Amino acid sequence: MKIEVKRLHRTENSTIGELLIDGVWECYTLEDKERDVKIKSETAIPRGTYKVIINQSNRFKRLMPLLLNVPNFEGVRIHAGNTNHDTEGCILVGRTRSKDFIGQSRKAYEKLFKKMQAAKDISLTIS
């Protein structure tokens, strides 16, 4: 499975994008603001391609997608949430969007997670 996150809209608080699976639109994304210098819990991860695995999250106490080998970041996950206050460098997903907000996040996450669980090999590219 090839996932691509295309960053589209940037504000002082967040970065809104869209997530595609094998070239097909799946949902919107919300990340922290892109910055040249990392600020802990306030910076989007660097652009690039990352391997994704599904493993147990100690924080969320369930299986979740985890991005591997993200420079200067640890524990980067894809999960539900609505604003930059719900992410600490992670990628949030949702079905609707507005400025600094994505909605219907749990629905989007559940649908995406089922597809990811069925995949054997997952890569995620941020552009």
Side-chain angles (χ1 to χ4, degrees), residues 49-113:
T49 300
Y50 304 99
K51 180 173 177 55
V52 180
I53 63 168
I54 300 199
N55 72 352
Q56 183 72 19
S57 165
N58 292 330
R59 179 178 179 187
F60 292 98
K61 309 293 187 227
R62 62 180 169 199
L63 292 174
M64 296 180 72
L66 174 71
L67 281 67
L68 300 179
N69 302 315
V70 180
N72 301 313
F73 286 78
E74 290 184 22
V76 176
R77 301 234 179 229
I78 299 171
H79 60 85
N82 302 111
T83 72
N84 66 307
H85 299 293
D86 300 324
T87 180
E88 294 178 359
C90 294
I91 300 171
L92 307 179
V93 294
R95 304 288 299 160
T96 63
R97 69 182 169 114
S98 58
K99 184 179 179 188
D100 296 323
F101 181 86
I102 55 173
Q104 298 181 23
S105 187
R106 289 188 197 278
K107 283 184 183 179
Y109 175 76
E110 288 169 8
K111 182 179 176 192
L112 174 63
F113 186 62

Side-chain angles (χ1 to χ4, degrees), residues 7-16 34 47 100 127:
R7 292 177 174 162
L8 302 174
H9 306 286
R10 293 156 185 84
T11 71
E12 282 301 309
N13 299 312
S14 70
T15 304
I16 299 281
E34 288 183 277
R47 294 170 190 244
D100 296 323
S127 60

Side-chain angles (χ1 to χ4, degrees), residues 31-47:
E31 301 174 78
D32 283 319
K33 179 180 176 178
E34 288 183 277
R35 299 175 192 277
D36 293 331
V37 177
K38 179 183 176 188
I39 298 173
K40 184 174 172 56
S41 301
E42 295 182 20
T43 304
I45 65 173
R47 294 170 190 244

